[in-house]
Amino acid sequence: ACAASCAAATCASMVLIPLGLGSLLLNVVLPFKAESVFRVPIVFPVTDCWSLGLVLTKVIWRLVQTDVALHSLHLEFVAIWSQVQGSWTNLFFDLGAHARFWRSLILPLLSGLVLHLVFPQAVAHTLVRWCIPEGMVFLRAALLMYCYHVVLAVRLTAAGVPLAGV
């Protein structure tokens, strides 16, 4: 059980999270590089998204380690590291630390990536398929290209403007 959990955590932290972050960053920046909504550059996920995400993950990890950003993530990592007494061997064999690692570090990052990567595409494709008429080709293409920007704008607005009475 420990080996499977450790292998899955390694896969999630070295492959899934960087691939998700790279895809998100590429999907946010790509419309600025495209000539129009109909001509989008070809992206190869292994080299483009994963390598970009790996660099972004390293930058975020350095900011967390130096406690510059994501203070709660830093506190949780320090708590897990002290729980296993600073030993990689103890981390490998401690199922309680594995559960805490998954519950507090990996799963929140993966759920955030799903919210920002999968949800916008699912909503955009549903709207394009069922709500927007076929004659509105430009609107359909623009919605598919800018769906990530809409979700980020809504999230930033919700974070920046507190709702009264809620």
Side-chain angles (χ1 to χ4, degrees):
C2 292
S5 176
C6 213
T10 302
C11 178
S13 61
M14 295 301 290
V15 176
L16 292 177
I17 292 173
L19 185 63
L21 285 173
S23 298
L24 181 63
L25 186 62
L26 199 64
N27 285 324
V28 168
V29 175
L30 195 61
F32 301 125
K33 300 296 279 179
E35 296 172 14
S36 75
V37 292
F38 300 112
R39 299 184 65 194
V40 178
I42 296 173
V43 175
F44 187 58
V46 174
T47 58
D48 298 337
C49 298
W50 182 74
S51 59
L52 181 64
L54 200 59
V55 171
L56 186 62
T57 303
K58 184 175 181 178
V59 168
I60 291 171
W61 182 244
R62 292 289 182 196
L63 291 174
V64 167
Q65 277 184 327
T66 57
D67 206 14
V68 174
L70 302 171
H71 182 67
S72 61
L73 189 64
H74 175 73
L75 290 178
E76 196 61 40
F77 177 74
V78 168
I80 291 171
W81 194 244
S82 66
Q83 177 182 346
V84 296
Q85 300 165 354
S87 170
W88 286 103
T89 306
N90 289 346
L91 179 63
F92 184 80
F93 289 111
D94 189 357
L95 282 177
H98 282 259
R100 189 173 186 176
F101 183 74
W102 278 98
R103 185 178 55 249
S104 59
L105 296 177
I106 299 292
L107 292 179
L109 291 172
L110 289 177
S111 68
L113 286 175
V114 166
L115 175 71
H116 288 97
L117 273 176
V118 177
F119 179 70
Q121 277 293 324
V123 170
H125 281 286
T126 302
L127 289 174
V128 164
R129 183 166 175 97
W130 300 105
C131 298
I132 299 174
E134 288 184 18
M136 304 178 106
V137 178
F138 184 76
L139 177 64
R140 293 165 70 120
L143 180 65
L144 288 174
M145 181 174 275
Y146 294 107
C147 63
Y148 298 103
H149 298 85
V150 171
V151 170
L152 286 175
V154 168
R155 294 280 302 211
L156 289 174
T157 303
V161 180
L163 299 173
V166 178

